[in-house]
Amino acid sequence: MKINSNYFNLKESYLFANIAKKTTEFSKSHPDADIIKLGIGDVTLPLCSAVINAMQNAVLEMSQKDTFKGYGPYQGYDFLRDSIKKYYNDRKIEIDADEIFVSDGSKSDVANILDIFSKENTVLIPDPVYPVYVDTNVMDGRKIQYINANKDNGFLPLPDENIKADIIYLCSPNNPTGAVYNHEQLKKWVDYAIENKAVILFDAAYEAFIEDKSLPRSIFEIKGAKKCAIELCSFSKTAGFTGVRCGYTVVPMDLEFDGASINKLWFRRQSTKFNGVSYIVQKGASAVFSKEGITQITENINYYKDNAKLIAKAVKDKGIYFTGGENSPYIWMKCQDKMTSWDFFDYLLEKTHIVGTPGSGFGKNGEGFFRVTAFGDRDNTLKAVERLKRL
Ligand code: PLP
């Protein structure tokens, strides 16, 4: 019996474990310190009442013989896929319910979608980025080409003649940098993918944070994208589902490689390895798109966006280079005085009792940068801003 030796090639991820360790040590040696955690990208506001009511009703339905539900459809219930379809159609993006696959979150889909692609493919991954893209490809033994995201390109790299990739990861608004591609930039990627017969995996987990109407919230706003892209979305940050678990992936009917329909392959994969998301959760997710749900989640998203603006303003007033803060819950700032990301982590913890995330944990180009999130509560964010101002 041999194990998948690609797992030996994974780099140990110390990022969040190290943050937790350093924070615990600091609070032990400074028992009176009021530590503010703006590190991990998890939400803090509870689920909105539209979602809670829908899930409570669904629980009751499960208690009655005539409304009880067993296994659901592999792709998700029609009521949820129709709501998602409408969510796109209202923005004039033509997506059909058959193109939508409901899942237990976009992390699973980002990883699982690789099942349908050959391990011979080369993948293109921006650096820095959400670490799951790298690790899942290392597990499969795929060749990885990195593309540099840095201050010179505003952390929004574009294709050039040096890129020879079959699978391209794009994340916009980006985790960790908060940078957002505009239409023109995404068009360059779509054109590149079509010309080179590559597929784009577009991670739109933070699309709901885009408020600038001129910026694309979906890759399918770009002409031609249905011929080359898959979009991965999540209810986690949009509606506080990080603990509830629900997401969806859009695989266009037009997407074909080697004469095969990617939509059909993905259906085949999902119906073989996945038995769907619980009825109760899908009812809750569907309520996100109700009139009441939209009002309530917009309020929550605005709360985080206002936090982001407060932090961004404090950083800007200090004259520090940063990306994000607008159209994104992340603020990605340059460490000062040539400090490394971890030096800056220690400095900020020591001087302000604020915990953030060292940028070097997201790739080599993250060195010398630092991520602060807007998912904290308002009082803590205001306190953190005051402390940053005094620093
Ligand atoms: N994609 C990005 C860019 C993320 O930052 C995250 C979570 O932090 C995810 C996907 C995963 O989301 P989910 O909770 O739906 O698995």
Side-chain angles (χ1 to χ4, degrees):
M1 208 296 285
K2 290 200 173 72
I3 60 154
N4 176 354
S5 59
N6 292 321
Y7 276 66
F8 295 128
N9 299 328
L10 288 167
K11 282 204 196 99
E12 209 53 66
S13 172
Y14 299 109
L15 182 65
F16 290 106
N18 220 1
I19 292 173
K21 186 167 161 266
K22 278 177 177 274
T23 311
T24 309
E25 276 166 11
F26 186 82
S27 57
K28 271 192 195 144
S29 57
H30 300 75
D32 297 330
D34 172 21
I35 295 175
I36 300 176
K37 292 184 181 166
L38 301 177
I40 295 176
D42 199 356
V43 291
T44 50
L45 292 175
L47 294 170
C48 65
S49 63
V51 168
I52 293 293
N53 292 339
M55 290 208 288
Q56 277 173 338
N57 288 335
V59 169
L60 287 179
E61 284 182 69
M62 291 300 238
S63 73
Q64 305 293 321
K65 195 162 191 315
D66 54 342
T67 49
F68 168 77
K69 302 275 186 296
Y71 289 123
Y74 294 119
Q75 242 178 297
Y77 283 98
D78 285 350
F79 62 78
L80 177 54
R81 288 189 299 129
D82 287 341
S83 311
I84 296 168
K85 171 180 152 63
K86 186 171 177 306
Y87 181 59
Y88 278 95
N89 295 168
D90 285 350
R91 285 179 278 151
K92 306 214 169 8
I93 304 167
E94 279 314 313
I95 296 291
D96 247 336
D98 288 353
E99 299 178 307
I100 299 162
F101 294 75
V102 175
S103 73
D104 64 347
S106 66
K107 188 182 202 173
S108 318
D109 280 1
V110 161
N112 294 335
I113 198 84
L114 292 173
D115 268 12
I116 62 172
F117 301 126
S118 161
K119 294 181 173 55
E120 309 280 299
N121 287 315
T122 298
V123 298
L124 182 80
I125 304 183
D127 175 326
V129 91
Y130 182 50
V132 175
Y133 310 155
V134 175
D135 286 354
T136 49
N137 279 290
V138 170
M139 286 171 182
D140 275 359
R142 248 180 229 97
K143 204 171 137 214
I144 300 177
Q145 192 184 357
Y146 291 95
I147 181 163
N148 292 324
N150 50 35
K151 208 176 155 184
D152 292 341
N153 54 31
F155 289 93
L156 293 168
L158 292 171
D160 62 40
E161 64 285 353
N162 299 320
I163 297 168
K164 296 275 170 284
D166 309 297
I167 302 173
I168 297 164
Y169 285 84
L170 297 177
C171 178
S172 176
N174 188 275
N175 177 13
T177 69
V180 187
Y181 280 112
N182 64 26
H183 278 87
E184 211 183 6
Q185 292 165 325
L186 278 189
K187 180 83 174 84
K188 288 196 173 133
W189 279 113
V190 167
D191 290 347
Y192 171 88
I194 291 174
E195 202 177 312
N196 293 277
K197 298 190 171 46
V199 66
I200 294 175
L201 300 180
F202 189 77
D203 189 335
Y206 299 95
E207 57 84 15
F209 288 81
I210 297 182
E211 70 179 37
D212 181 340
K213 298 241 180 308
S214 74
L215 294 171
R217 281 167 53 191
S218 163
I219 186 94
F220 300 122
E221 289 179 42
I222 311 301
K223 201 161 169 260
K226 280 189 137 189
K227 292 204 178 319
C228 65
I230 292 173
E231 180 155 290
L232 302 118
C233 298
S234 170
F235 290 95
S236 284
K237 311 297 159 80
T238 306
F241 272 52
T242 52
V244 177
R245 310 303 307 144
C246 197
Y248 56 94
T249 290
V250 181
V251 187
M253 288 296 180
D254 289 353
L255 201 58
E256 278 191 15
F257 289 92
D258 286 346
S261 154
I262 299 299
N263 182 292
K264 278 203 183 118
L265 285 184
W266 183 235
F267 183 85
R268 190 70 176 87
R269 190 270 171 210
Q270 289 296 76
S271 54
T272 304
K273 295 197 184 180
F274 181 60
N275 254 342
V277 178
S278 95
Y279 175 71
I280 300 163
V281 167
Q282 292 195 54
K283 272 286 174 185
S286 178
V288 166
F289 300 107
S290 65
K291 208 168 157 229
E292 200 191 1
I294 288 174
T295 309
Q296 293 170 352
I297 63 150
T298 305
E299 217 169 278
N300 288 0
I301 292 169
N302 285 343
Y303 177 94
Y304 296 133
K305 283 206 288 210
D306 289 345
N307 281 351
K309 282 176 195 152
L310 285 167
I311 300 167
K313 183 172 183 314
V315 176
K316 194 174 180 182
D317 288 349
K318 293 228 165 241
I320 296 172
Y321 172 83
F322 71 100
T323 51
E326 271 179 1
N327 304 302
S328 157
Y330 297 118
I331 292 95
W332 177 252
M333 59 190 279
K334 180 99 188 78
C335 302
Q336 298 302 285
D337 295 336
K338 298 202 167 78
M339 276 188 240
T340 66
S341 300
W342 279 109
D343 288 346
F344 192 67
F345 174 92
D346 292 334
Y347 171 77
L348 212 62
L349 182 58
E350 178 73 37
K351 300 281 181 203
T352 66
H353 305 169
I354 296 172
V355 176
T357 311
S360 52
F362 299 97
K364 79 171 170 43
N365 290 319
E367 183 57 278
F369 283 85
F370 199 73
R371 189 191 78 171
V372 182
T373 89
F375 289 120
D377 72 46
R378 178 63 45 79
D379 287 347
N380 275 343
T381 304
L382 284 168
K383 258 195 262 176
V385 161
E386 279 314 307
R387 291 181 198 176
L388 283 175
K389 276 186 193 160
R390 282 201 302 270
L391 189 66

